Amino acid sequence: MAASLPQLDVAKMQMVQDLEIEMMSDMYNRMTAACHKKCIPPKYKDAELVKGESVCLDRCVAKYLDIHERVGRKLTQMSLQDEEAVKKLQGEMPRV
Amino acid sequence: MTSEIVDAAKIEAEQIKSFRDFLFSYNKLSELCFVDCVWDFTSRTVRDQENNCAVNCAEKFLKANQRISQRFQEFQVISNENALAMAKKAG
């Protein structure tokens, strides 16, 4: 992500890095909440994670990260397409 | 000397941030366990059953978080290794 950006000074790099860390921790918090909701039924007779809940959590984390990546790829692709369309439009503008 | 002061300020800011995170997760946990465990409002005292439920809820929440954190770390290690391998291939 940072590699694709043009040369930035140290302060800006730091800001970008901080933002990336913040986004990562936000993603992590959302994932925790989502997997808890999907895997732990709201009956607390016992404080131990049962086998099924543990397996569910493992798969939930894997799937969440997978989806996170897929959505990221889709967004990148869409924004690239958008940029190209805008460029095309701007190229056509003067002729009209 | 000045860099020491800056470092100290940074460490303090990090400590405050982690304390903040802790307080937020405490609030979230209270909300979750209250919503899941307390249904009866015919009395203002917490019943034994509600108390057991809330205590189990908190313990289970922490265990689930530990497990999620372990899996997440494993994925990060793998994705770092992949990124390194890709960089080696490209470089």
Side-chain angles (χ1 to χ4, degrees), chain A residues 30-48:
Chain A
R30 286 169 195 269
M31 177 178 76
T32 310
C35 291
H36 198 278
K37 199 169 161 190
K38 286 190 188 281
C39 292
I40 315 284
K43 284 178 186 140
Y44 299 99
K45 280 187 190 146
D46 192 32
E48 295 300 318

Side-chain angles (χ1 to χ4, degrees), chain B residues 60-71:
Chain B
K60 208 168 189 171
F61 182 84
L62 294 179
K63 281 174 183 159
N65 273 7
Q66 273 169 10
R67 198 173 180 102
I68 290 170
S69 150
Q70 277 169 9
R71 294 292 96 80

Side-chain angles (χ1 to χ4, degrees), chain B residues 9-10 17-18 23 25 28 31 37 44-45 60 69 75:
Chain B
K10 254 186 199 164
K17 200 186 169 303
S18 78
L23 290 178
S25 65
K28 239 192 259 171
E31 185 190 5
C37 290
R44 60 177 292 136
T45 50
K60 208 168 189 171
S69 150
F75 272 93

